[in-house]
Amino acid sequence: MTSVLLFFIDGLGIGTRGPHNPLDGLSDAEPLAVFQDEAPQIPSAGVLVRTDARLGVDGRPQSASGQTTILTGVNAPAAIGHHKQGFPNQALLAIIREHSIFRQLQRAGVAPITFANTYTSRFFESRPRWISATTAAVEAADLRFNRVEDLSAGRAVYQDFTNAMLIERGEQVAPRTPEQAGEVLASIVANHRFTLYEYFITDKVGHGQNLERARVVLRDLALMIRGLLSRLDLDQTNVILTSDHGNIEDLSTRSHTLNPVPTIVWGVGRQKIADQVSSLADITPAIIHTLTSD
Ligand SMILES: [Zn+2]
């Protein structure tokens, strides 16, 4: 039986080359160094789909509506009439509650499934007023959230996969190199039929417009992904990397970009999956199809 990892990266578009793009001239940036009008260099035989994040709705693509689309297969900006920033509103939460990819997989009998990210005790002690689309998607399916203890036991990864932010906040955890984090994520993937991982520092750095910081973040992320790929059995597993909108690939603006986003697919079903994707609304249906057709 095949499995799928959905590796979600916030705010990574396909940009042009130039001083505005931290990926231009960055060494060791495969598979993230993808540019407009250029054949990409993608390790481990990955297939690139230049993916539409605008979804037929005017304006700049935004996080809440883009992530809702990725995690449900519903064109969320079209459903609510605009691109919605930040965290999902009630209308988007209603879409997620009904159509969360985790719920769709449960209904189809696909198990076990997991969100690989870690939540700190602060989340459970004082629940934030606004929750992310991923959190809502997990709650819609009543899945368990990983805690810091799961991370220490090698069963979870933090959004900042080096654990540096956790350590700064006083959590008793060991730091991880990007390669080690990729190895941990690979072991989670090996134990589940569907795994979601979310990384969003790319979007924060894109808004911050700091070129040096962006390069460090992108190089570490690329290292983590290559470490992950080297540990996975790609004859059994498919990896789908995607993003909700562009941002970090153009540091000349604080805003999100109108660029397409890279969807990169690795593994045994890569071409079949890639052929099903043209916009963000196609990701969830392609995953459901892959996991229910064997
Ligand atoms: Zn975003």
Side-chain angles (χ1 to χ4, degrees):
M1 285 205 289
T2 62
S3 62
V4 171
L5 165 65
L6 176 56
F7 196 118
F8 167 68
I9 299 173
D10 202 315
L12 175 69
I14 302 177
T16 53
R17 284 191 185 269
H20 57 280
N21 190 340
L23 287 163
D24 189 11
L26 183 65
S27 58
D28 274 338
E30 304 82 20
L32 302 175
V34 172
F35 302 97
Q36 291 180 20
D37 308 314
E38 267 182 50
Q41 300 290 318
I42 299 182
S44 304
V47 178
L48 170 71
V49 184
R50 298 172 196 267
T51 308
D52 168 45
R54 300 174 67 175
L55 297 162
V57 174
D58 286 345
R60 294 183 187 278
Q62 301 293 346
S63 290
S65 47
Q67 292 166 20
T68 299
T69 303
I70 293 169
L71 295 171
T72 63
V74 175
N75 182 333
I80 65 170
H82 64 281
H83 296 284
K84 168 76 178 70
Q85 280 179 266
F87 297 108
N89 58 13
Q90 289 306 320
L92 294 176
L93 288 172
I95 293 170
I96 295 169
R97 275 193 290 270
E98 178 62 23
H99 301 283
S100 161
I101 184 167
F102 292 111
R103 277 205 72 187
Q104 294 189 44
L105 290 167
Q106 284 175 333
R107 287 190 206 113
V110 175
I113 58 180
T114 192
F115 183 38
N117 288 60
T118 306
Y119 288 70
T120 61
S121 50
R122 201 166 64 176
F123 173 82
F124 303 101
E125 283 158 10
S126 70
R127 186 185 164 82
R129 183 170 141 80
W130 298 99
I131 58 169
S132 68
T134 46
T135 298
V138 171
E139 289 189 333
D142 259 326
L143 286 187
R144 186 182 160 279
F145 287 106
N146 287 314
R147 295 169 179 256
V148 174
E149 302 85 79
D150 296 292
L151 181 145
S152 295
R155 293 191 300 263
V157 182
Y158 195 56
Q159 53 91 1
D160 165 29
F161 49 76
T162 66
N163 295 344
M165 287 182 186
L166 283 176
I167 293 165
E168 268 169 39
R169 282 162 55 177
E171 298 284 352
Q172 301 296 309
V173 296
R176 284 173 179 163
T177 64
E179 293 90 340
Q180 287 169 334
E183 194 176 325
V184 172
L185 184 54
S187 72
I188 298 167
V189 172
N191 288 315
H192 294 87
R193 291 211 62 212
F194 175 70
T195 303
L196 171 67
Y197 177 66
E198 173 179 35
Y199 182 81
F200 52 80
I201 297 175
T202 30
D203 191 54
K204 292 202 184 312
V205 169
H207 288 305
Q209 294 177 276
N210 179 326
L211 181 70
E212 283 319 304
R213 176 85 184 117
R215 284 177 175 259
V216 169
V217 160
L218 287 166
R219 189 153 39 207
D220 279 358
L221 179 60
L223 261 175
M224 190 269 208
I225 294 167
R226 293 200 305 275
L228 162 78
L229 291 170
S230 73
R231 296 282 174 161
L232 287 175
D233 177 0
L234 292 174
D235 291 329
Q236 295 288 325
T237 304
N238 302 286
V239 178
I240 305 174
L241 178 157
T242 197
S243 182
D244 49 354
H245 50 77
N247 185 354
I248 197 171
E249 80 285 3
D250 185 356
L251 296 178
S252 71
T253 166
R254 279 200 84 253
S255 312
H256 295 169
T257 69
L258 299 173
N259 291 328
V261 298
T263 299
I264 308 177
V265 192
W266 290 271
V268 60
R270 60 189 181 278
Q271 194 60 56
K272 225 167 141 182
I273 294 170
D275 289 345
Q276 295 170 61
V277 174
S278 64
S279 86
L280 296 184
D282 302 321
I283 304 283
T284 279
I287 292 170
I288 303 292
H289 186 254
T290 301
L291 290 175
T292 56
S293 62
D294 62 5

